[in-house]
Amino acid sequence: MASPVLVKLIELLGGLYGETQGFLDAPDDAQLWYNRGYANGMVQALRELGHGDALPADLALDADRAAWDRIAQQALTPWGRAHAHGLEMGREETYEVLEGT
């Protein structure tokens, strides 16, 4: 049985993925890119911490290699940097939350 904290994190993750659909088509929206990066960082941390099986199938890292290629191509833009920062913070804060419980 998943802990209440893990359940809450997964609910938050679902909301973030829902809100950031189409982020690749909105390069002028750095907040959208940050939020998608944050969600991807959360998934990365959850997998690293052994909670990957608790993730619903639709809440996985952007699996499309083409999407990651497009993200990488934007690395030097404000929205690309926002995604990278979100990725870092999502991973770091998920570790903090789960290791603190």
Side-chain angles (χ1 to χ4, degrees), residues 16-94:
L16 283 171
Y17 270 125
E19 293 169 9
T20 59
Q21 292 297 315
F23 77 102
L24 288 169
D25 298 322
D28 58 335
D29 190 341
Q31 185 64 53
L32 192 63
W33 279 65
Y34 175 88
N35 290 352
R36 185 54 161 235
Y38 195 97
N40 285 333
M42 289 178 67
V43 169
Q44 186 178 44
L46 289 169
R47 286 184 177 167
E48 291 169 359
L49 290 167
H51 300 293
D53 291 343
L55 293 169
D58 62 335
L59 297 182
L61 278 169
D62 290 317
D64 180 0
R65 183 70 202 158
W68 280 103
D69 288 346
R70 286 182 63 194
I71 291 167
Q73 291 168 357
Q74 304 302 316
L76 299 178
T77 66
W79 50 91
R81 289 191 308 268
H83 184 276
H85 184 60
L87 187 69
E88 176 185 337
M89 295 307 299
R91 183 179 176 278
E92 180 180 314
E93 291 178 357
T94 300

